[in-house]
Amino acid sequence: MRVAGLRVVVSGGASGLGLGVVRRLVREGASVAVLDRDEVRGQAIASELGVFFLPADVCEEAAVATAIAEVCGRFGGLDCAVACAGVLGPGRVLGKEGPMPLSFFEKTVRVNLVGSFNLAKAAAERMQHNPPGEDGERGLILFTASIAAFEGQIGQAAYSASKAGVIGMTLPIARELARFGIRVAAIAPGVFHTPMIEGVPEEVYRALCAQVPFPSRLGTVDEFADAVLFAIGNRYFNGAVLRLDGALRLPPR
Ligand SMILES: NC(=O)c1ccc[n+]([C@@H]2O[C@H](COP(=O)([O-])OP(=O)(O)OC[C@H]3O[C@@H](n4cnc5c(N)ncnc54)[C@H](O)[C@@H]3O)[C@@H](O)[C@H]2O)c1
């Protein structure tokens, strides 16, 4: 798919990796909608970049469906959905204050996994009606997983479970939607410099950088946006997960 003129929705597009993707897509001439629960940042980005902002929580099935319907009303359809909304949900299974409350575990899974599913199905429902492009292509659904899905660290039980779930559903949804020409794929980032990371103490930040074999630093939102553009442009990238991590393999802690 060509980026210029592409109709895209980015969940979690009000911050971090999602915002980096939004900025790049706008620069490349796409029509972009941001779906995010942060209304203040969302409105600010809408006025700065001229994108369409939809305040919604990805956990809410009906709210996501309504938001996608609004995007289609505004843009006349939808070609690409990028799921970036997510939370870290750190915590030990057996913490200092006792076992992790199930509600905490569930919350992380709801935002990261269920939220990505809600976006995917609402987007696919619309994309199936797109006129077919080259090879019969009708759309792309791109998930954001994490390398913590493969090497989760201590304190990442909920986060890793949610991201492994995202990776787990990528292939079956890609297989299912293949008959419509809708691709489904995921990017698994290593450690990137975003507001999720800001606020960690300087020595922890330096230690994080030192863990990355090469280049020995955190990834940038631009590098993530490059990978999203690759996913959009390369029709043979389907049903797969792209690790983007500078050869980092997370240690146990
Ligand atoms: N930053 C990293 O190093 C890193 C590494 C691996 C994976 N990821 C993943 O990338 C994605 C983006 O991370 P980030 O670092 O940009 O984080 P971020 O906190 O900067 O941005 C996340 C955005 O998602 C939104 N959001 C959170 N919960 C939501 C909900 N329920 N409904 C709607 N919007 C919601 C937030 O308001 C925010 O704008 C996440 O899925 C994260 O797990 C990040």
Side-chain angles (χ1 to χ4, degrees):
M1 291 190 295
R2 281 167 40 82
V3 181
L6 204 70
R7 300 160 302 181
V8 189
V9 63
V10 182
S11 76
S15 175
L17 299 183
L19 178 55
V21 171
V22 169
R23 287 190 191 283
R24 175 70 70 84
L25 289 172
V26 167
R27 256 201 330 268
E28 301 279 338
S31 298
V32 185
V34 170
L35 188 159
D36 203 291
R37 67 175 173 194
D38 186 334
E39 291 206 29
V40 175
R41 292 189 56 86
Q43 297 291 1
I45 282 145
S47 18
E48 182 199 329
L49 299 175
V51 296
F52 183 31
F53 174 58
L54 302 134
D57 185 329
V58 290
C59 303
E60 304 296 331
E61 184 181 23
V64 174
T66 304
I68 295 298
E70 280 179 51
V71 175
C72 292
R74 172 72 72 102
F75 296 161
L78 179 67
D79 306 301
C80 176
V82 185
C84 284
V87 291
L88 258 181
R92 292 186 180 227
V93 177
L94 296 179
K96 285 197 186 87
E97 270 111 57
M100 177 187 289
L102 178 59
S103 58
F104 184 84
F105 184 89
E106 279 178 341
K107 179 73 195 165
T108 307
V109 172
R110 271 196 77 77
V111 176
N112 296 352
L113 174 56
V114 179
S116 299
F117 175 74
N118 280 338
L119 184 77
K121 73 187 174 104
E125 190 195 3
R126 300 288 168 157
M127 289 173 184
Q128 66 175 326
H129 302 300
N130 285 344
E134 253 183 89
D135 284 326
E137 187 176 33
R138 287 193 172 84
L140 167 68
I141 295 164
L142 188 61
F143 296 126
T144 306
S146 165
I147 62 167
F150 306 105
E151 310 90 63
Q153 298 186 290
I154 290 169
Q156 289 191 315
Y159 185 70
S160 298
S162 70
K163 295 299 188 178
V166 167
I167 289 173
M169 71 180 171
T170 298
L171 181 62
I173 305 180
R175 285 174 159 170
E176 182 185 333
L177 300 184
R179 70 191 181 102
F180 300 116
I182 300 171
R183 290 186 290 128
V184 184
I187 298 172
V191 188
F192 278 65
H193 192 115
T194 70
M196 248 189 195
I197 290 292
E198 276 161 23
V200 303
E202 178 64 29
E203 64 276 15
V204 176
Y205 186 86
R206 265 192 267 116
L208 277 173
C209 294
Q211 281 178 2
V212 188
F214 183 82
S216 207
R217 58 167 173 77
L218 303 196
T220 67
V221 292
D222 273 346
E223 287 166 330
F224 182 78
D226 284 343
V228 171
L229 258 64
F230 160 77
I232 290 170
N234 196 319
R235 206 171 302 130
Y236 218 65
F237 180 54
N238 188 19
V241 182
L242 174 70
R243 281 186 77 124
L244 195 67
D245 61 10
L248 172 65
R249 299 296 177 269
L250 293 171
R253 65 179 82 226

